[in-house]
């Protein structure tokens, strides 16, 4: 569980963003819209530009949003939900996970550890221990987790995701001058691409 990011003021209205016409090759790419993020160092909002994203197999993007809470506005992050799952299920707060680290030695260099997790079954939480999973080459395992929302907790099941170098096209964030915000007819077209290869190196990912 992590404490949510709370901004002291409301975010501006969303920027009218025009996705670049040229999308990456392949039918699995979707446009993930941009959003306002709180920059505590500058004490202001910065626009996180949308991106072309290779959707994990069988997943659909649920965008994040800002919700008003005591003391300001809290960011509710977006997540990949099972495609066609319909209406989201809001659950009570799950119990804490005391120990999530690997248990024992990996059966082989080709296994990844799937952390333990609480699952909601028949009106109560049940414990699922962690286990070793045979990895898929060039894929990243995203463990199950919960997203807090004002209506309750949403369970995001574990799934395989694309490696960073295959996830799509990432655009640079933008700090807009106040005079542009709310101007009628203003449309932003992202065009500064971030080199994810260098990003992968700089983050030691």
């Amino acid at each position: 569980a992590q404490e949510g990011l709370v901004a002291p003021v409301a975010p501006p209205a969303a920027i009218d963003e025009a996705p670049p016409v040229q999308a990456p090759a392949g039918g699995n790419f979707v446009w993930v819209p941009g959003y306002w993020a709180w920059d505590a160092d500058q004490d202001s909002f910065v626009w996180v530009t949308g991106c072309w994203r290779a959707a994990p197999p069988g997943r659909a993007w649920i965008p994040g949003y800002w919700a008003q809470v005591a003391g300001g506005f809290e960011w509710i992050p977006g997540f990949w939900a099972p495609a066609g799952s319909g209406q989201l299920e809001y659950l009570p707060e799950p119990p804490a996970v005391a120990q999530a680290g690997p248990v024992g030695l990996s059966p082989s260099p080709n296994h990844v550890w799937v952390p333990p997790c609480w699952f909601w079954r028949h009106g109560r939480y049940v414990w699922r221990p962690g286990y070793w999973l045979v990895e898929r080459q060039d894929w990243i395992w995203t463990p199950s987790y919960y997203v807090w929302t004002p209506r309750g907790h949403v369970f995001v099941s574990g799934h395989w995701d694309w490696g960073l170098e295959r996830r799509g096209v990432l655009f640079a964030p933008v700090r807009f001058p106040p005079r542009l915000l709310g101007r009628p007819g203003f449309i932003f077209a992202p065009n500064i691409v971030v080199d994810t290869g260098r990003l992968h190196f700089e983050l030691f990912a």
Side-chain angles (χ1 to χ4, degrees):
Q2 296 180 352
E3 185 177 350
L5 172 65
V6 177
V9 295
I15 296 293
D16 190 359
E17 198 172 58
V21 176
Q22 186 173 0
N28 62 324
F29 285 93
V30 296
W31 178 255
V32 173
Y35 58 91
W36 289 108
W38 179 251
D39 184 349
D41 292 334
Q42 298 292 327
D43 204 32
S44 64
F45 284 96
V46 62
W47 181 254
V48 177
T49 309
C51 65
W52 286 114
R53 179 65 154 84
R59 297 277 160 163
W61 179 248
I62 305 297
Y65 62 95
W66 288 94
Q68 188 168 8
V69 296
F73 291 79
E74 182 166 352
W75 174 244
I76 312 301
F79 56 90
W80 292 103
S85 57
Q87 190 173 2
L88 297 176
E89 182 180 15
Y90 296 95
L91 303 171
E93 182 177 2
V97 177
Q99 174 60 38
V103 176
L105 298 176
S106 172
S108 80
N110 299 322
H111 282 73
V112 294
W113 174 251
V114 177
C117 185
W118 289 101
F119 279 79
W120 182 257
R121 293 289 185 273
H122 307 297
R124 65 186 183 92
Y125 279 106
V126 295
W127 176 251
R128 188 213 64 192
Y131 60 94
W132 293 99
L133 177 68
V134 177
E135 70 174 351
R136 297 173 59 183
Q137 189 172 3
D138 298 329
W139 291 81
I140 303 296
W141 177 256
T142 300
S144 302
Y145 66 98
Y146 287 87
V147 175
W148 178 88
T149 77
R151 297 178 61 183
H153 288 72
V154 176
F155 177 70
V156 182
S157 57
H159 58 275
W160 291 104
D161 202 349
W162 303 88
L164 185 61
E165 68 281 357
R166 299 191 298 158
R167 288 193 180 186
V169 180
L170 179 66
F171 296 91
V174 180
R175 190 175 299 280
F176 290 97
R179 59 185 174 81
L180 289 180
L181 301 181
R183 175 184 290 185
F186 174 70
I187 298 177
F188 169 61
N191 57 10
I192 305 298
V193 178
V194 175
D195 183 353
T196 55
R198 184 170 181 82
L199 178 65
H200 189 277
F201 173 78
E202 297 293 347
L203 293 178
F204 301 95

